[in-house]
Amino acid sequence: MKLLRHGPAGAEKPALLDSDGKIRDLSSLVADIGGDVLSDSGLARIAAADLKSLPEVSPGRIGPCVAGTRKFICVGLNYSDHAKETGKAPPEEPILFMKATSAIIGPNDDVEIPRNSVKADWEVELGIVIGTRAKYVSEDKALDHVAGYCVVNDVSERAFQSERGGQWTKGKSHDTFGPIGPYLVTRDEVPDPQNLSLWLDVDGVRRQTGTTANMIFGVRHLVSYISQFMTLEPGDIIATGTPPGVGLGIKPEPVFLKVGQVMTLGIQGLGDQTQRTIAARD
């Protein structure tokens, strides 16, 4: 299934993209796309419904595909070709950092360029959405705790991230730096998360092209590994790293985002996003 949330920011309603490409409102079945709804039993209840009988939704704003995210966990330098373009050695263990959940926005909402930003950058990433509580899980059981997958743009401010001291979080957490969606695609529709193509354009120029096959640490390993350090809860999101082609890695000179540019990105089978960059609001 392809689950989504539609409507004004802060007042989104649950929905589903049916086999005919129509958006069907799920409000009569579930309160939102989050919590117990993300469990195998919760998803099965939706799948068992007569979806074609549900109200069709008119085109409009698509919100973040998951509600109630408590942790937005990111993995750094997780593609061998991206590590190479940054001039850094591939990590021996996953590099983890947090992105503020207040950064989460819909897949086509505007992205703010922060005040004093000089190195705003893009990163298309595969997002893992947790469906059931995961603590100390083994790799062979890891996918049992995954509800599905989504597209993430891990928007970054490189100067804030690497030149202002401390951890990476301050360069990753500005409002709007976490577009997710358009869909939460349930794991049954993604039989091999390590065989998905990713891409990102800026103003129509292809900047990133990659495949999840080049992840250093795959989905199973990441879910198991992270669960050794913190309990993963339904709705938590893991952004799994980005392929090469980020602005920081462009030669001979890096290229960074400016106000008025448009990012378009997507992942095979998971849908597309489009964001326009704007100046930071008060």
Side-chain angles (χ1 to χ4, degrees):
M1 295 184 293
K2 291 181 173 65
L3 303 174
L4 63 133
R5 301 169 68 243
H6 69 98
E12 293 92 347
K13 295 181 179 181
L16 173 146
L17 188 73
D18 72 15
S19 58
D20 296 324
K22 296 179 179 179
I23 298 176
R24 302 283 180 175
D25 187 85
L26 295 176
S27 298
S28 63
L29 297 178
V30 297
D32 212 336
I33 307 298
D36 290 343
V37 172
L38 299 174
S39 67
D40 286 352
S41 59
L43 295 173
R45 286 195 298 272
I46 296 175
D50 180 8
L51 301 176
K52 295 295 180 69
S53 69
L54 297 175
E56 185 177 346
V57 176
S58 299
R61 176 183 178 270
I62 302 299
C65 58
V66 183
T69 298
R70 296 171 63 185
K71 293 188 287 297
F72 197 162
I73 306 156
C74 299
V75 183
L77 298 177
N78 194 34
Y79 281 70
S80 54
D81 38 10
H82 173 55
K84 182 177 180 180
E85 77 172 342
T86 64
K88 298 179 180 178
E92 295 183 2
E93 293 191 38
I95 297 171
L96 305 182
F97 59 93
M98 306 296 284
K99 196 177 189 81
T101 56
S102 55
I104 293 173
I105 58 171
N108 304 315
D109 291 343
D110 293 340
V111 166
E112 294 184 6
I113 303 298
R115 289 182 182 178
N116 304 313
S117 170
V118 291
K119 296 182 179 179
D121 207 347
W122 54 83
E123 293 190 20
V124 60
E125 305 199 5
L126 173 67
I128 305 168
V129 179
I130 298 299
T132 56
R133 185 175 183 270
K135 184 175 183 178
Y136 297 127
V137 301
S138 60
E139 283 197 38
D140 63 319
K141 299 291 186 182
L143 294 189
D144 295 344
H145 297 269
V146 173
Y149 305 92
C150 66
V151 181
V152 174
N153 189 355
D154 178 21
V155 185
S156 310
E157 213 300 335
R158 303 298 188 188
F160 295 179
Q161 175 185 351
S162 301
E163 300 171 19
R164 301 287 297 272
Q167 300 178 343
W168 290 359
T169 302
K170 68 180 72 171
K172 299 284 189 171
S173 295
H174 183 74
D175 298 346
T176 76
F177 269 22
I180 63 169
Y183 317 119
L184 187 170
V185 180
T186 52
R187 74 172 188 269
D188 59 296
E189 292 198 10
V190 187
D192 185 2
Q194 305 309 146
N195 188 30
L196 303 174
S197 58
L198 309 84
W199 59 274
L200 181 144
D201 295 348
V202 179
D203 288 345
V205 176
R206 180 59 47 92
R207 292 300 189 185
Q208 290 187 274
T209 302
T211 170
T212 57
N214 288 339
M215 282 186 186
I216 298 170
F217 306 104
V219 169
R220 288 179 182 273
H221 183 82
L222 290 174
V223 173
S224 174
Y225 181 87
I226 295 169
S227 79
Q228 310 305 309
F229 302 98
M230 64 191 83
T231 300
L232 297 170
E233 303 284 357
D236 286 351
I237 299 168
I238 303 171
T240 57
T242 197
V246 298
L248 180 66
I250 293 176
K251 302 294 189 297
E253 294 291 335
V255 175
F256 297 110
L257 290 167
K258 298 179 176 61
V259 170
Q261 293 190 295
V262 175
M263 293 177 284
T264 308
L265 57 146
I267 300 177
Q268 177 185 351
L270 304 187
D272 303 339
Q273 301 183 355
T274 299
Q275 298 110 30
R276 179 174 61 97
T277 55
I278 63 172
R281 305 181 182 95
D282 291 337

